[in-house]
Amino acid sequence: MAQFVEFGEKAVKAKKIAVLGLGYVGLPVSAVFASRGFEVIGVDVEPLIVETINSGQVHIVEPDLDMLVQAAVAGGKLRATLEPELADVFIIAVPTPFKDDNEPDLSYIETATAMIAPLLKRGDLVVLESTSPVGTTEQVCEWIGAKRPDLILPEPNREKCDFHIAHCPERVLPGSVLRELVDNDRIVGGISPRCATSAADLYRSFVKGEIHLTNARTAELAKLVENAFRDVNIGFANELSIICEQLNINVWETIELANRHPRVNILKPGPGVGGHCIAVDPWFIISRAKDNAKIMRAAREVNDHKPTVVFQRVKAAAARLREPVIACLGLTYKADIDDMRESPALEIVEMLAQAEVGKLLVVEPNIQRLPQGLLNLSHVERATLGSALKACDIVVLLVDHRQFKSVDRDLLNLRIVVDTRGLWR
Ligand code: SAJ
């Protein structure tokens, strides 16, 4: 018969944490735990990432992360490996993308679970940090159960079990990850109340915000709802921008005026919604509640359509010129980062390149070289801000990077300007 292990203090005293996935969330989480004195092993399937981290460097751009990782590696508290090893806590922080049909792809979580299942011992804690559709934490539990029939699984009303499992979704904003990891409130959802307490004890080692306990399914939905709420509100702003253009009204002025109302706060329209979170997570709700998630679906469709609206606007302006030169400012999904995942700016530039509407001068100060889809095209060139602005007929502002704020307004006045972010209004 299984020996039951007492939890509670156990998690706090845990010495060794294995973090699976060393990306935008896993690496900062590993470094922060290491900085609090835990022994952390970071596991990633990509040999180059493992090598980079073990040499004390980082593979992602995020303020202060390089210094924290360097100190953790030099101090012997953080080490990267390709395979997990025995630990007291396993944190899963792998991606949860969606497939072509907008259904969530849980294969990374499944692989990570299969890697840790053979290593689990009584008293361990498993935390799912990856943003996940409702029911995923329970699914992880089932996957472990199938591989480890010798372990007693946690259940909602079962007091005693051999290991704990909880969902503790990340909520950090790219660009402010280290500050938000520490300062933000956290939601911890356990398979059972004791699972939640175990995970909360662990996160208290560095979280200054409040930690709110709930069950795993509610924690999963709360995280998804945060991003769906933003998506719906950005969708409203994007729809408004399209309506304003049709009615020939300045959308920025309209929003500024409407926001003077004490209970109105319209977000900013833009070229569309990018990033690996807001543009993705609402689908996890829609896929589980197809007939009922009507507003969320509509917002996704409006936001996904916005790049095409911008493309058509630029195409129409270019069609009025002979051999037009178009400066495209920005490729990333938002300002002052190097991340191009789901980027509407990149999508627009790729559409313009494909349609061959003119010569494209692409300005992106945060990346080393143009992405694959824009390389080796005779009508697409990388340019500096100054040279692109001088040479172009049309300026398309796609990302509000700080470098773009103070451009020469006299020069802009001589160009056709498509300012998708309202940076120069
Ligand atoms: N955007 C607009 N108009 C706005 C605000 C944003 O068009 O008024 C666009 C941005 O340009 C960008 C996209 O939306 O393309 C998303 O940008 P963001 O800065 O709002 O959010 P993310 O994706 O970088 O990070 C979000 C955050 N979630 C929320 O603000 C609810 C962050 O707190 C989450 O941790 C993160 O998603 C995540 O991992 O889920």
Side-chain angles (χ1 to χ4, degrees):
M1 195 176 143
Q3 291 287 306
F4 297 113
V5 178
E6 284 306 314
F7 289 90
E9 285 300 293
K10 163 94 173 113
V12 182
K13 289 189 193 135
K15 287 285 180 290
K16 192 163 171 183
I17 300 177
V19 179
L20 286 96
L22 291 173
Y24 283 84
V25 171
L27 183 57
V29 166
S30 302
V32 169
F33 271 120
S35 75
R36 293 297 187 276
F38 290 92
E39 182 190 344
V40 181
I41 58 155
V43 186
D44 205 286
V45 290
E46 189 53 64
L48 195 61
I49 293 180
V50 169
E51 243 173 69
T52 306
I53 290 161
N54 283 335
S55 69
Q57 292 170 320
V58 293
H59 60 291
I60 48 182
V61 175
E62 181 60 43
D64 301 331
L65 184 62
D66 48 352
M67 289 181 326
L68 201 66
V69 168
Q70 195 188 31
V73 172
K77 289 292 180 190
L78 173 62
R79 174 166 57 84
T81 69
L82 286 166
E83 299 282 340
E85 47 193 71
L86 283 175
D88 306 296
V89 177
F90 294 89
I91 297 179
I92 300 176
V94 295
T96 40
F98 56 32
K99 299 182 256 187
D100 287 343
D101 55 0
N102 292 327
E103 286 294 316
D105 175 3
L106 298 184
S107 59
Y108 295 89
I109 297 185
E110 191 172 2
T111 305
T113 307
M115 284 171 112
I116 62 174
L119 301 171
L120 277 180
K121 54 191 188 325
R122 294 196 183 95
D124 283 354
L125 168 67
V126 177
V127 178
L128 178 64
E129 277 231 18
S130 311
T131 305
S132 305
V134 173
T136 309
T137 313
E138 291 167 347
Q139 175 72 74
V140 168
C141 207
E142 276 171 35
W143 282 328
I144 293 173
K147 290 208 182 300
R148 294 294 304 274
D150 56 313
L151 292 176
I152 296 178
L153 302 179
E155 278 181 23
N157 298 314
R158 183 184 271 169
E159 267 291 294
K160 304 246 177 191
C161 56
D162 280 337
F163 67 100
H164 280 159
I165 171 159
H167 182 48
C168 185
E170 59 82 12
R171 306 167 107 180
V172 287
L173 191 72
S176 314
V177 167
L178 291 176
R179 186 177 52 74
E180 292 213 351
L181 255 184
V182 173
D183 289 346
N184 287 1
D185 283 10
R186 291 298 286 253
I187 300 171
V188 178
I191 292 287
S192 69
R194 295 193 70 191
C195 290
T197 319
S198 259
D201 288 344
L202 176 74
Y203 280 86
R204 271 196 202 98
S205 61
F206 70 84
V207 171
K208 286 194 194 144
E210 276 180 55
I211 299 185
H212 307 272
L213 306 190
T214 181
N215 62 45
R217 292 171 72 84
T218 309
E220 286 160 348
L221 187 60
K223 160 70 197 189
L224 298 176
V225 159
E226 292 165 12
N227 284 348
F229 177 86
R230 291 276 289 174
D231 196 48
V232 166
N233 283 280
I234 299 167
F236 181 87
N238 278 334
E239 184 168 281
L240 183 64
S241 74
I242 297 167
I243 293 170
C244 281
E245 194 166 333
Q246 183 196 335
L247 301 179
N248 200 17
I249 291 172
N250 183 317
V251 67
W252 307 104
E253 190 187 353
T254 309
I255 292 175
E256 238 166 67
L257 292 172
N259 281 352
R260 305 302 291 198
H261 184 287
R263 286 170 297 282
V264 172
N265 183 17
I266 302 172
L267 296 184
K268 291 194 205 125
V273 172
H276 51 299
C277 311
I278 294 183
V280 176
D281 297 355
W283 288 117
F284 292 180
I285 304 177
I286 300 164
S287 77
R288 294 287 190 270
K290 285 199 170 63
D291 295 336
N292 292 318
K294 295 191 177 69
I295 294 178
M296 294 185 204
R297 181 189 291 277
R300 268 297 62 241
E301 284 165 1
V302 169
N303 288 333
D304 271 355
H305 182 59
K306 189 71 199 286
T308 306
V309 174
V310 176
F311 159 68
Q312 274 159 354
R313 209 175 141 199
V314 179
K315 190 177 160 198
R320 292 195 291 272
L321 303 172
R322 277 188 54 200
E323 298 184 7
V325 177
I326 305 165
C328 300
L329 308 192
L331 287 178
T332 59
Y333 86 85
K334 65 176 186 179
D336 305 325
I337 55 167
D338 68 334
D339 193 338
M340 288 184 283
R341 283 176 294 175
E342 313 291 329
S343 169
L346 177 59
E347 192 183 337
I348 291 163
V349 177
E350 281 176 346
M351 280 193 272
L352 290 168
Q354 247 171 35
E356 299 191 19
V357 298
K359 180 169 181 179
L360 303 186
L361 301 176
V362 181
V363 184
E364 178 42 82
N366 298 295
I367 58 168
Q368 299 296 328
R369 60 186 201 124
L370 287 182
Q372 198 59 37
L374 297 176
L375 284 177
N376 307 323
L377 298 173
S378 57
H379 59 294
V380 181
E381 260 176 42
R382 189 162 187 200
T384 61
L385 178 62
S387 65
L389 285 179
K390 257 190 218 129
C392 72
D393 308 293
I394 303 173
V395 189
V396 190
L397 187 283
L398 295 166
V399 188
D400 44 347
H401 289 315
R402 60 191 156 76
Q403 293 90 339
F404 301 158
K405 272 184 193 141
S406 53
V407 297
D408 182 349
R409 299 301 156 107
D410 293 336
L411 203 63
L412 282 186
N413 288 339
L414 301 171
R415 312 276 181 262
I416 299 171
V417 176
V418 179
D419 176 2
T420 67
R421 301 272 181 179
L423 189 69
W424 302 321
R425 65 179 180 279

